[in-house]
């Protein structure tokens, strides 16, 4: 919520029920403020009770900062198995981290959310108003226990703390569940992949004659993902190839032109000849010496690596609520989650690196040696696609455990207090078998005949018989022996532990009244410490790998904060000022890593005429670098890069990582808008809000492609991140975190809801019709690095890019009755381009509409038992994503998808 005063109300309004839940009987929430009586304003930022005692239907109607609520019906089509995936369908969000966007990344199983496309670290995610461990991973919370989510689409650092630059997502748990509910579902694409199995269950019951209450929920997911990328021919093996005139064309069936399965000679008289499995030679079709070519035998990592990463996870959460006295309550939470998997990583990582072999190599076929000697050549370079011995897997295991103890109480008639302490521990282990060991590979490749024994040995063995070197044969697919493969490859390992300790005290109440109503205040103290400790394997410590080695690291930061907030009704029942209220907050944050900093906000709301309210908020928001941004060591992947400097396209190694010298961000946010519930149109509610966010010293990880483009545009600091070989070709791009000068976005959100009894249109028809339209228009999203500005609006097809569509919207239409319901949804993306920083001859992307449909059938079994069957089809018309849009957060790469499930409550 936008107001810290509203913390208790955040637990009461059911804003969003995840797909897969049937509301079980719930007692009144123990956190509900005392007695909604006497027509008093209990919570000005969320729930208002008018003088007549009537409740406005939509919580957040009076909030000075826009607050989005999502109804259960609007999520029933998505059948997502975590709340982040469901939220990412909303136009205010961008799916930054997901199995689709991180197709070969170690973070693919995480599920954070990203408001405004400004980055997941600028969206503060809370669980029942408190920070939680595991990097805001919403997949770590049992979805079946989630009773609601409030999304504050504006800066809220003063109220909630660092990180709330683009807004706050507060997830609420159903802490008063009574009974048991179970959800089981399965899904599969129309191409028989991306199969999933999902089960969740929750139960709640009273203990000690109602003095205590226990709630336990758990879920498990297995999803096979989509492997390989080429299972979608318009996505796998696509790249932008140079036309030689500064323009590029996106084409399919692209692979490596400087490497072949089994090996490709790339220099000398035999250049362009590839090795067959028996060591003989064959011409390599299409060979030009270029890094990438279309067609022929060109191999590609896309033939093996994933389009959507597979997932396996489970999580469990238990909560005990206990009334210590009539005025004091105790809450204890314990949460545990685990995600793990093993699948092909980013692919081969040694092709085309100029591996040089001599004509005296013991494994070199005689015909090849003779041809080279006849030409007077003593060596040649080899490009080899090492899918037969050095194609690494990623094997990861993440485990999170967190416990929280909280006390809440009431003092007198007007004051409520709360205090809590929470400790979270996250362990993330990574192993990647299949990486080449630099010295071992160098020695093993240099194979010669031992003049004494006549056997094939490593040259180094002639001078060091105890070297243990095993010679390797690279000439032909399958030629390397198992012993040689084991000698030249190793397993990078890293074991990362992050810990969160956080505590807080707050006091909130209504100390006095003004003629227009009660004044509400909140004050409090908070403190937290975040730590990271990473250990690595012995081979990593020795920097033994050719392309990637993790490094040990340790770091921490602490922050102590004090905050205050006030909300006051100034005028009531005055012409044009029927309900004028103001809200202000300030927070002082003292970081040991970056010093002290202030954040603040002020805002107001007013009812101009019956049902029409305006709102305005101005805020200064802050964000200090988090542990990942400061201390994360190397992350590794491969990316296809278009290089305007050389006019070529190639696959480059991309190295990411942290930067402990980052300065904190400072953001200025403005929101202005209105809500309208016209009395003459019962059931209609609409809101329109303008937002403008400007961030200084923005902490960001510049994508590999953008790093190259910024360098060419004249930013020398970015040029220092691009490593080229002696021929000017890109070898490696460093894409770690930096402070850019400015990040800015502005636009408009629209929310329109309408419902009416079905009998209004069809006299004998039971039930209710409902419709909702959510849309966001983005005027601009730009970064400025001190040299050049980059505009990201409409640049929406690029893998790993920061682009957003001009328009994005969802329109949901449905009918629900007592036993049956049906719903359809249209997801709209306006036209754009693949990448507006490149001159692509076919880079235009037309507008897209995806249609989803679904239905439910409820079968009441008794007064306290219910059974439901549901079925959904997403992307009903199997709309294919644009050419090459693999990894884009906006376009569906799976295609038509079927889900069938059943729910029970008893």
């Amino acid at each position: 919520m936008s107001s810290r005063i509203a913390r208790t109300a955040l637990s009461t309004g059911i804003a969003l029920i995840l797909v897969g839940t049937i509301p079980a009987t719930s007692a009144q929430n123990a956190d509900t403020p005392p007695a909604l009586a006497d027509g008093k304003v209990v919570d000005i930022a969320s729930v208002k009770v008018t003088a007549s005692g009537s409740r406005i239907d939509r919580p957040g109607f009076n909030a000075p900062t826009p607050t989005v609520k999502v109804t259960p019906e609007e999520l029933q089509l998505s059948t997502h198995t975590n709340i982040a995936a469901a939220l990412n369908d909303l136009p205010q969000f961008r799916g930054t981290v997901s199995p689709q966007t991180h197709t070969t990344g170690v973070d693919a199983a995480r599920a954070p959310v990203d408001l405004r496309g400004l980055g997941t670290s600028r969206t503060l995610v809370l669980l029942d108003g408190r920070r939680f461990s595991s990097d805001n991973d919403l997949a770590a919370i049992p979805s079946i226990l989630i009773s609601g989510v409030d999304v504050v689409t504006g800066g809220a650092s003063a109220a909630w703390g660092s990180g709330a630059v683009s807004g706050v997502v507060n997830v609420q748990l159903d802490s008063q569940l009574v009974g048991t509910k179970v959800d089981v579902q399965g899904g599969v694409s129309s191409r028989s992949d991306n199969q999933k199995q999902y089960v969740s269950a929750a139960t709640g019951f009273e203990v000690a004659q109602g003095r205590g209450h226990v709630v336990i929920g758990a879920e498990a997911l297995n999803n096979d993902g989509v492997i390989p990328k080429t299972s979608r021919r318009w996505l796998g093996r696509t790249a932008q190839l140079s036309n030689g005139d500064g323009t590029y064309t996106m084409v399919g069936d692209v692979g490596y032109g400087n490497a072949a399965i089994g090996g490709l000679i790339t220099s000398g008289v035999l250049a362009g000849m590839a090795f067959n499995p028996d060591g003989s030679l064959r011409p390599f079709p299409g060979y030009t010496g270029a890094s990438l070519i279309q067609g022929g035998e060109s191999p590609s990592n896309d033939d093996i690596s994933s389009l959507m990463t597979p997932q396996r996870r489970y999580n469990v959460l238990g909560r005990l609520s206990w009334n210590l006295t009539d005025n004091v309550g105790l809450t204890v939470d314990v949460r545990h989650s685990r995600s793990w998997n093993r699948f092909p990583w980013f692919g081969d990582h040694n092709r085309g690196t100029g591996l040089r072999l001599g004509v005296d190599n013991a494994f070199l076929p005689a015909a090849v040696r003779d041809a080279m000697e006849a030409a007077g050549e003593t060596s040649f370079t080899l490009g080899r696609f090492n899918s037969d011995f050095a194609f690494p897997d990623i094997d990861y295991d993440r485990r999170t455990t967190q416990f929280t103890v909280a006390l809440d109480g009431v003092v007198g008639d007007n004051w409520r207090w709360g205090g809590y302490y929470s400790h979270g521990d996250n362990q993330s282990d990574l192993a990647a078998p299949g990486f080449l060991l630099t010295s071992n590979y160098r020695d093993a490749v240099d194979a010669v005949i031992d003049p004494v024994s006549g056997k094939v040995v490593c040259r180094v063995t002639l001078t060091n018989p105890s070297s243990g070197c095993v010679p390797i044969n690279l000439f032909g697919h399958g030629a390397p022996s198992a012993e040689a493969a084991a000698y030249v490859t190793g397993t990078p390992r890293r074991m990362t532990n992050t810990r969160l300790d956080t505590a807080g005290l707050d006091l909130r109440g209504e100390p006095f009244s003004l003629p227009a109503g009660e004044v509400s205040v909140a004050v409090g103290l908070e403190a937290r410490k975040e730590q990271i400790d990473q250990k690595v394997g012995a081979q990593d410590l020795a920097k033994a790998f050719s392309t990637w080695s993790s490094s040990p690291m340790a770091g921490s930061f602490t922050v102590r904060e004090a905050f205050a907030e006030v909300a006051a009704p100034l005028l009531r029942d005055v012409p044009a000022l029927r309900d004028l209220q103001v809200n202000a907050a300030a927070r002082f944050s003292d970081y040991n890593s970056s010093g002290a900093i202030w954040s603040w906000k002020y805002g107001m709301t007013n009812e101009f005429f019956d049902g029409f309210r305006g709102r305005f908020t101005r805020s200064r928001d802050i964000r200090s670098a988090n542990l990942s941004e400061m201390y994360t060591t190397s992350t590794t992947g491969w990316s296809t890069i278009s290089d305007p400097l050389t006019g070529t396209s190639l696959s480059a190694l991309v190295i990411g990582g942290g930067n402990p010298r980052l300065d904190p961000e400072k953001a200025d946010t403005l929101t202005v808008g209105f809500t309208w519930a016209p009395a003459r149109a019962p059931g209609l509610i609409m809101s329109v809000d303008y937002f403008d966010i400007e961030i200084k010293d923005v902490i960001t990880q510049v994508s590999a492609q953008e790093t190259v483009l910024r360098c060419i545009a004249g930013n020398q600091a970015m040029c220092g991140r691009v490593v080229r070989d002696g021929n000017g070709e890109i070898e490696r791009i460093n894409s770690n975190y930096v402070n850019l000068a400015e990040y800015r976005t502005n636009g408009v959100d629209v929310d329109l809801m309408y419902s009416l009894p079905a009998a209004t249109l069809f006299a004998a028809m039971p039930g209710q019709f409902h419709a909702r339209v959510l849309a966001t228009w983005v005027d601009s999203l730009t970064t400025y690095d001190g040299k050049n500005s980059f505009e990201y609006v409409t640049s929406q097809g690029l893998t790993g890019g920061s682009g957003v569509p001009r328009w994005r919207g969802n329109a949901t239409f449905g009918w629900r009755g007592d036993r049956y319901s049906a719903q359809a949804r249209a997801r709209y993306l306006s036209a754009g381009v693949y990448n507006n920083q490149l001159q692509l001859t076919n880079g235009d992307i037309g507008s897209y509409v995806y249609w989803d449909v679904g239905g439910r059938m409820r079968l009441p079994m008794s007064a306290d038992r219910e059974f439901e069957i549901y079925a959904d089809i997403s992307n009903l018309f199997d709309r294919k994503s644009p050419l090459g849009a693999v990894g884009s957060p906006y376009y569906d790469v799976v295609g038509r998808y079927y889900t069938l499930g059943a729910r029970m409550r008893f």
Side-chain angles (χ1 to χ4, degrees):
M1 297 290 294
S2 61
S3 171
R4 195 50 174 266
I5 297 170
R7 170 172 287 181
T8 55
L10 288 175
S11 302
T12 67
I14 299 179
L16 174 151
I17 299 176
L18 184 75
V19 167
T21 65
I22 296 176
T25 303
S26 294
Q28 183 177 353
N29 194 314
D31 290 334
T32 301
L36 300 179
D38 302 324
K40 295 180 178 179
V41 176
V42 175
D43 189 292
I44 67 163
S46 177
V47 179
K48 179 183 175 183
V49 178
T50 65
S52 64
S54 65
R55 182 192 290 265
I56 294 175
D57 282 340
R58 187 181 176 203
F61 189 76
N62 297 333
T65 304
T67 303
V68 174
K69 309 279 185 176
V70 184
T71 66
E73 291 80 6
E74 289 163 328
L75 292 176
Q76 284 181 345
L77 289 178
S78 59
T79 58
H80 292 302
T81 51
N82 67 69
I83 202 69
L87 291 175
N88 285 336
D89 276 344
L90 302 181
Q92 294 90 347
F93 289 88
R94 183 175 186 275
T96 307
V97 178
S98 72
Q100 176 172 313
T101 60
H102 283 56
T103 58
T104 58
V106 297
D107 289 332
R110 291 179 54 233
V113 286
D114 178 8
L115 271 166
R116 306 295 182 208
L118 295 176
T120 59
S121 59
R122 294 181 190 88
T123 302
L124 179 58
V125 181
L126 306 172
L127 180 60
D128 279 340
R130 305 183 185 104
R131 295 176 185 262
F132 67 98
S133 182
S134 71
D135 290 331
N136 295 341
D137 183 4
L138 291 177
I141 303 171
S143 300
I144 200 167
L145 278 183
I146 296 175
S147 68
V149 173
D150 287 294
V151 180
V152 180
T153 57
S157 291
W160 293 104
S162 176
V165 173
S166 57
V168 174
V169 173
N170 185 58
V171 179
Q172 305 144 33
L173 297 180
D174 185 2
S175 60
Q176 295 301 305
L177 170 69
V178 175
T180 299
K181 51 186 179 179
V182 179
D183 183 13
V184 179
Q185 68 172 243
V188 64
S189 79
S190 60
R191 294 165 179 82
S192 301
D193 55 17
N194 203 37
Q195 296 184 29
K196 71 175 177 183
Q197 302 85 40
Y198 172 78
V199 60
S200 61
T203 187
F205 52 89
E206 293 182 346
V207 293
Q209 292 78 46
R211 189 174 182 181
H213 194 90
V214 175
V215 173
I216 301 172
E219 68 180 9
L221 170 70
N222 180 64
N223 191 308
D224 296 338
V226 179
I227 302 175
K229 286 186 175 70
T230 49
S231 62
R232 306 296 186 268
R233 57 179 175 76
W234 59 94
L235 292 171
R237 296 179 63 95
T238 57
Q240 310 98 45
L241 295 186
S242 172
N243 297 315
D245 59 358
T247 66
Y248 295 80
T249 299
M250 180 76 71
V251 296
D253 193 22
V254 175
Y256 302 122
N258 55 2
I261 294 174
L264 171 68
I265 298 175
T266 58
S267 68
V269 67
L270 295 176
M273 300 297 289
F275 287 93
N276 293 311
D278 63 359
S280 61
L281 292 177
R282 68 183 186 277
F284 186 70
Y287 177 76
T288 64
S291 297
L292 298 174
I293 62 173
Q294 186 176 22
E297 294 182 18
S298 57
S300 171
N301 289 333
D302 290 0
D303 297 328
I304 302 174
S305 59
S306 60
L307 177 65
M308 290 190 68
T309 56
Q311 297 183 73
R312 285 187 292 174
R313 64 174 170 85
Y314 69 80
N315 50 58
V316 60
L317 187 149
R319 169 171 287 184
L320 169 65
S321 303
W322 192 272
N323 294 326
L324 299 176
T325 71
D326 291 343
N327 295 318
V328 179
L330 169 70
T331 303
V332 178
D333 288 349
V334 178
R335 178 176 64 89
H336 177 74
S337 65
R338 181 189 180 208
S339 64
W340 75 102
N341 220 315
R342 179 169 177 168
F343 53 89
W345 203 358
F346 52 74
D348 173 67
H349 48 93
N350 190 57
R351 78 245 170 264
T353 57
L355 179 66
R356 184 162 290 278
L357 297 98
V359 294
D360 62 344
N361 188 284
F363 293 113
L364 189 66
V368 177
R369 181 180 295 108
D370 292 344
M372 292 182 60
E373 289 178 342
E377 296 175 356
T378 60
S379 65
F380 66 96
T381 55
L382 183 76
R384 193 178 194 280
F385 190 71
N386 294 322
S387 54
D388 52 350
F389 79 95
F391 200 102
D393 283 351
I394 180 171
D395 187 352
Y396 71 89
D397 191 345
R398 294 192 186 93
R399 300 173 302 281
T400 299
T401 302
Q402 184 170 11
F403 73 86
T404 302
V405 179
L407 290 170
D408 292 278
V410 177
V411 179
D413 295 331
N414 298 319
W415 292 96
R416 300 169 297 281
W417 61 270
Y420 74 93
Y421 167 74
S422 185
H423 173 78
D425 188 278
N426 178 264
Q427 181 68 37
S428 180
D429 296 337
L430 170 68
F435 272 78
L436 288 173
L437 297 164
T438 305
S439 60
N440 286 20
Y441 188 55
R442 179 195 62 223
D443 293 343
V445 167
D446 192 12
V448 296
I449 301 295
D450 187 339
V452 177
S453 66
K455 296 181 179 180
V456 178
V457 297
C458 304
R459 191 186 303 272
V460 69
T461 304
L462 300 178
T463 56
N464 182 12
S466 62
S467 67
C469 181
V470 180
I472 189 168
N473 182 0
L474 298 180
F475 307 119
H477 184 73
S481 67
E483 296 77 12
Y487 178 73
V488 301
T489 59
T491 301
R493 300 180 185 275
R494 70 181 186 209
M495 294 70 69
T496 307
N497 180 263
T498 57
R499 293 179 293 277
L500 170 70
D501 289 277
T502 180
L505 292 169
D506 65 81
L507 179 67
R508 54 205 183 277
E510 296 76 39
F512 61 90
S513 297
L514 296 175
E518 290 183 332
V519 174
S520 298
V521 299
V523 295
L525 301 171
E526 290 184 336
R528 74 179 186 275
K529 181 177 183 179
E530 298 187 38
Q531 306 172 74
I532 188 168
D533 182 16
Q534 178 169 288
K535 296 178 172 58
V536 300
Q539 292 174 324
D540 297 82
L541 280 174
K543 301 299 180 185
F545 299 103
S546 300
T547 51
W548 179 51
S549 296
S550 290
S551 300
M553 65 172 173
S556 66
F557 71 84
T558 59
V559 57
R560 298 175 176 84
E561 300 181 296
F563 66 88
E565 186 172 1
V566 60
L570 298 184
L571 294 172
R572 188 183 296 275
D573 299 328
V574 175
L577 298 172
R578 299 181 58 175
D579 187 11
L580 178 63
Q581 303 187 29
V582 296
N583 175 282
R587 175 178 291 258
F588 178 78
S589 304
D590 186 10
Y591 287 84
N592 72 336
S593 57
S594 56
I597 192 167
W598 280 92
S599 55
W600 48 261
K601 75 162 188 173
Y602 60 87
M604 63 179 64
T605 65
N606 178 56
E607 185 175 14
F608 292 94
F609 54 86
D610 188 23
F612 185 90
R613 302 187 66 91
R615 55 190 175 197
F616 162 85
T617 301
R618 182 80 179 178
S619 65
R620 163 61 60 87
D621 302 290
I622 57 99
R623 189 180 77 86
S624 185
N626 59 33
L627 289 173
S628 297
E629 292 163 336
M630 287 193 291
Y631 300 116
T632 295
T633 51
S634 296
T635 60
T636 307
W638 287 88
S639 183
T640 299
I641 302 298
S642 298
D643 184 8
L645 184 64
T646 60
T648 61
S649 296
L650 71 159
S651 184
L653 184 67
V654 180
I655 308 293
N659 180 357
R661 295 180 294 276
L662 294 168
D663 295 324
E665 298 177 345
K666 294 178 283 294
D668 292 312
T669 300
L670 168 70
T671 61
V672 181
F674 69 86
T675 59
W676 188 25
R680 293 186 178 183
L684 174 64
I685 301 177
M686 67 178 299
S687 67
V688 178
D689 290 283
Y690 170 80
F691 61 90
D692 186 298
I693 303 172
E694 181 180 5
I695 310 172
K696 300 292 188 182
D697 296 321
V698 61
I699 300 167
T700 189
Q701 190 173 27
V702 180
S703 72
Q705 179 67 76
E706 190 176 322
T707 299
V708 174
L709 295 174
R710 287 180 183 270
C711 167
I712 292 173
N715 190 319
Q716 293 304 309
M718 292 296 170
C719 290
R721 299 174 180 275
V722 181
V723 179
R724 297 178 181 270
D725 62 18
N727 298 320
E729 295 286 344
I730 295 174
E731 283 187 338
R732 184 176 71 250
I733 301 172
N734 295 318
S735 183
N736 61 325
Y737 289 95
V738 296
N739 281 112
L740 291 185
E742 183 181 276
Y743 208 160
R744 184 165 188 172
T745 186
N746 68 302
V748 175
D749 291 328
V750 178
D751 188 352
L752 175 66
M753 294 187 293
Y754 186 59
S755 63
L756 76 163
T760 304
L761 300 178
F762 305 97
M765 188 174 185
Q768 192 95 354
F769 287 116
H770 59 90
R772 187 173 191 183
V773 176
L774 284 165
T776 295
W777 172 78
V778 182
D779 176 45
S780 178
L781 175 63
T782 60
T783 63
Y784 177 65
D785 61 10
K787 293 286 186 180
N788 303 283
S789 290
F790 279 61
E791 173 64 69
Y792 297 106
V793 173
T794 73
S795 185
Q796 59 207 50
L798 179 64
T799 302
S802 301
V804 296
R806 179 76 65 187
W807 275 100
R808 189 178 179 209
N810 292 338
T812 306
F813 314 92
W815 168 84
R816 58 181 177 269
D818 292 336
R819 293 190 59 184
Y820 303 97
S821 63
Q823 190 163 287
R825 181 178 66 167
R827 293 175 280 148
Y828 173 76
L829 294 165
S830 62
V833 297
Y834 181 84
N835 182 357
N836 61 9
Q837 303 302 322
L838 283 177
Q839 296 185 49
L840 283 172
T841 60
N842 60 344
D844 292 343
I845 301 173
S847 61
Y848 264 67
V849 177
Y850 293 106
W851 285 93
D852 311 317
V853 296
R856 309 287 184 269
M857 180 175 66
R858 299 178 181 86
L859 303 173
M861 302 171 64
S862 65
D864 58 352
R865 293 174 181 268
E866 189 172 285
F867 181 77
E868 179 183 86
I869 298 174
Y870 60 92
D872 295 287
I873 305 175
S874 62
N875 194 358
L876 176 65
F877 299 110
D878 198 28
R879 185 77 188 271
K880 294 179 175 60
S881 58
L883 182 70
V886 56
S888 167
Y890 301 114
Y891 299 101
D892 183 355
V893 303
V894 175
R896 186 183 298 115
Y897 195 82
Y898 306 100
T899 298
L900 180 66
R903 307 182 184 110
M904 284 194 304
R905 176 183 62 82
F906 53 92

